Every structure is written in C-alpha cells, then in structure tokens.
DNA sequence: TACCAGGTGGGAA
DNA sequence: TTCCCACATGGT
C-alpha cells in the first residue's frame, strides 16, 4: 500500500501549498484583532457549506461588524443572523457562534484548551473541534471530513469511523503541523476537483495509484 | 431541476 | 450503535 506521506507529497507536487486557514492578515494587523478568532468563526460558518458562501458571510462581518469573538458576544442575535445569512443554516449557526464566543472567553485560550472541552460546546462536533485545534491552536489534531473519508476509502481502501481515521493519519504521518494543515487542505482540493461524490476518475491525474476501480461512495 | 457544499444534534429503530 | 432528518443559502 502506498504510504500516506507519499500520497501527501504527490498531492503537494500536484496542487502546491494551499495555505489553510485563509484569514485576512492585514485586517487583523490594522484592527488589532486575533486572527485565530476568524478561524473559529469560519469553522462554524463552513459546516456543510461551500467556502464561497462562507466568504460572503465573512465579508458582511468585516464590513458591518468584526472578526472577533467579543463582537459575536455583543452583537444582537437578529443582526448576527442577518450578517451570516449567506452561509446558510443561519439560525443554528448564530446560536452556535454565541455559545462558542461565550465559552471561549479569556479563561479558555485556544492554545491550551482540550479537545474534550471543545466537544462539550453545542455546535462543535469532532471535525469543527479538530479544525479549530489545528488551524487556530496549532495543535497536532488531524481533521477528518467527508472528502478525507472518501479519499482514503477510494485510494487506500480504508474505511472507519472518525476516530479510527484520525488515529490512522496521526500514527502514519510525521508529527508536523505544516503537513497536517496542508494534507487536509490538499485532500479537500483533490476532492473538489476530481474525487467528488460522483467522481471524475477519467480526468483524475493520480488515478493510476487509486485502489478503487469502481468507487462506491 | 436536482444535487452538493471545508457538519451537527436529536430522535427513532 | 447506526440511520435518518432538519437546518438554508448559493453555485453548477
């Protein structure tokens, strides 16, 4: 079986660095806000939503509000819903953002918070928790999403639940933050281009190493 | 028109 | 435990 690290290198050579998580560095420099809070807000807004729609919501927040948890805490609920509306599921997401913003107050710093604590917050599931820990907290937590499950299912014939796959990646890869961040983003990029739910295997540039001749999911 | 997108929580089986 | 559904906007 092709080693995971080799697969990472293959995708990296194919697509180049993805530089996730995208944040507006200049905005945070000027405003003196914490870019990690933009990651947290984006992680909730992107739940089952295309990033394009999340960007619209983030633009609204930038224009009429602020990328900060203190803003989320203070803003009126109806106003928050209006701002994040383009990202869909805005009723739930507004409530979740409020919950998270109150939970991640200054006594709970992202750099030291435990995964189990994050998972207790309503609206933070495993994927969102790991995305926050990895991209906002620089913690070695590999993020598993639908693309990742599809990818290892097809390319490596490996299936399992969230924790199984997370352990597989974490035990197989070097403990390197850059690789964790890039590999997850690269898998998503490949998933968007070719390894879709209805895959474009004929056009896939790495179909030769795929173990799935007839993808079933 | 139908499907999908950087998921989660809750209830039924 | 596993499966199914609601949650909602916007692109293809």
């Amino acid at each position: 079986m092709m080693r995971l690290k080799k697969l990472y290198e293959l995708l990296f050579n194919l697509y180049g660095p993805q530089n996730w998580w995208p944040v507006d560095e200049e905005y945070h420099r000027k405003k003196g806000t914490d870019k990690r809070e933009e990651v947290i807000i984006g992680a909730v807004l992107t739940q089952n939503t295309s990033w394009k729609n999340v960007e619209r919501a983030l633009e609204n927040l930038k224009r009429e509000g602020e990328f900060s948890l203190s803003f989320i805490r203070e803003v009126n609920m109806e106003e928050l819903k209006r701002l994040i509306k383009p990202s869909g599921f805005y009723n739930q997401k507004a409530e979740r953002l409020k919950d998270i913003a109150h939970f991640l107050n200054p006594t709970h710093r992202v750099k030291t918070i435990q995964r189990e604590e994050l998972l207790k917050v309503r609206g933070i599931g495993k994927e969102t928790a790991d995305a926050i820990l990895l991209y906002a907290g620089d913690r070695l937590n590999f993020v598993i999403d639908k693309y990742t499950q599809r990818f290892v299912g097809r390319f490596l014939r490996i299936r399992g639940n969230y924790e199984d796959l997370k352990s597989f990646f974490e035990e197989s890869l070097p403990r390197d933050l850059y690789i964790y961040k890039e590999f997850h983003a690269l898998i998503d990029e490949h998933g968007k281009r070719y390894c879709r739910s209805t895959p474009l295997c004929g056009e896939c540039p790495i179909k030769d190493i795929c173990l799935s001749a007839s993808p079933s999911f």
Side-chain angles (χ1 to χ4, degrees):
Chain A
M1 177 175 56
M2 172 167 279
R3 298 175 72 121
L4 217 43
K5 174 88 182 308
K6 277 283 176 200
L7 216 38
Y8 160 72
E9 288 164 355
L10 206 56
L11 291 177
F12 191 88
N13 290 333
L14 202 54
Y15 303 122
Q18 302 296 300
N19 300 313
W20 275 23
W21 196 283
V23 291
D24 190 337
E25 303 265 2
E26 193 179 338
Y27 169 91
H28 292 290
R29 240 191 328 272
K30 280 184 184 167
K31 299 270 284 188
T33 43
D34 186 344
K35 65 182 181 185
R36 291 175 300 188
E37 299 191 355
E38 183 182 345
V39 176
I40 294 166
I41 294 166
V44 173
L45 294 182
T46 198
Q47 290 173 354
N48 204 37
T49 303
S50 66
W51 186 252
K52 281 280 175 205
N53 288 355
V54 174
E55 283 177 328
R56 290 164 186 269
L58 291 175
E59 277 304 312
N60 287 347
L61 281 172
K62 189 203 282 188
R63 195 178 55 248
E64 300 181 44
E66 194 177 84
F67 293 146
S68 76
L69 295 179
S70 63
F71 172 76
I72 299 291
R73 276 194 291 274
E74 290 157 16
V75 69
N76 172 279
M77 180 64 100
E78 292 309 309
E79 177 67 0
L80 180 57
K81 287 180 183 176
R82 185 182 70 77
L83 294 171
I84 67 170
K85 196 163 189 175
S87 73
F89 306 117
Y90 56 88
N91 289 308
Q92 324 191 95
K93 286 178 180 175
E95 286 187 17
R96 290 171 181 182
L97 282 174
K98 284 277 187 187
D99 284 353
I100 293 162
H102 282 104
F103 177 72
L104 287 174
N105 57 38
T107 61
H108 278 103
R109 301 203 176 280
V110 183
K111 288 292 280 181
T112 54
I113 198 161
Q114 296 303 304
R115 187 170 186 255
E116 293 67 29
E117 290 182 273
L118 271 179
L119 290 173
K120 286 180 192 162
V121 183
R122 194 176 46 142
I124 299 186
K126 290 175 180 175
E127 182 178 338
T128 306
D130 289 329
I132 289 173
L133 290 168
L134 178 61
Y135 293 105
D138 286 333
R139 311 270 287 279
L140 281 166
N141 275 265
F142 201 86
V143 183
I144 305 295
D145 62 2
K146 276 186 213 159
Y147 286 123
T148 313
Q149 292 175 29
R150 233 184 257 155
F151 184 77
V152 295
R154 288 173 179 165
F155 277 82
L156 303 175
R157 286 285 191 201
I158 291 173
R159 300 186 188 197
N161 62 29
Y162 189 98
E163 299 298 339
D164 292 339
L165 295 181
K166 176 175 157 69
S167 299
F168 169 65
F169 274 87
E170 292 178 355
E171 287 162 13
S172 309
L173 289 173
R175 296 181 63 73
D176 182 318
L177 263 180
Y178 186 77
I179 292 178
Y180 274 43
K181 290 181 179 182
E182 284 297 329
F183 200 7
H184 172 69
L186 286 162
I187 289 172
D188 279 26
E189 183 61 24
H190 187 66
K192 282 179 212 165
R193 293 189 191 213
Y194 307 103
C195 215
R196 304 175 179 178
S197 51
T198 303
L200 303 175
C201 298
E203 301 167 34
C204 177
I206 52 172
K207 59 177 177 291
D208 292 347
I209 57 156
C210 185
L211 294 181
S212 183
S214 53
S216 57
F217 71 107

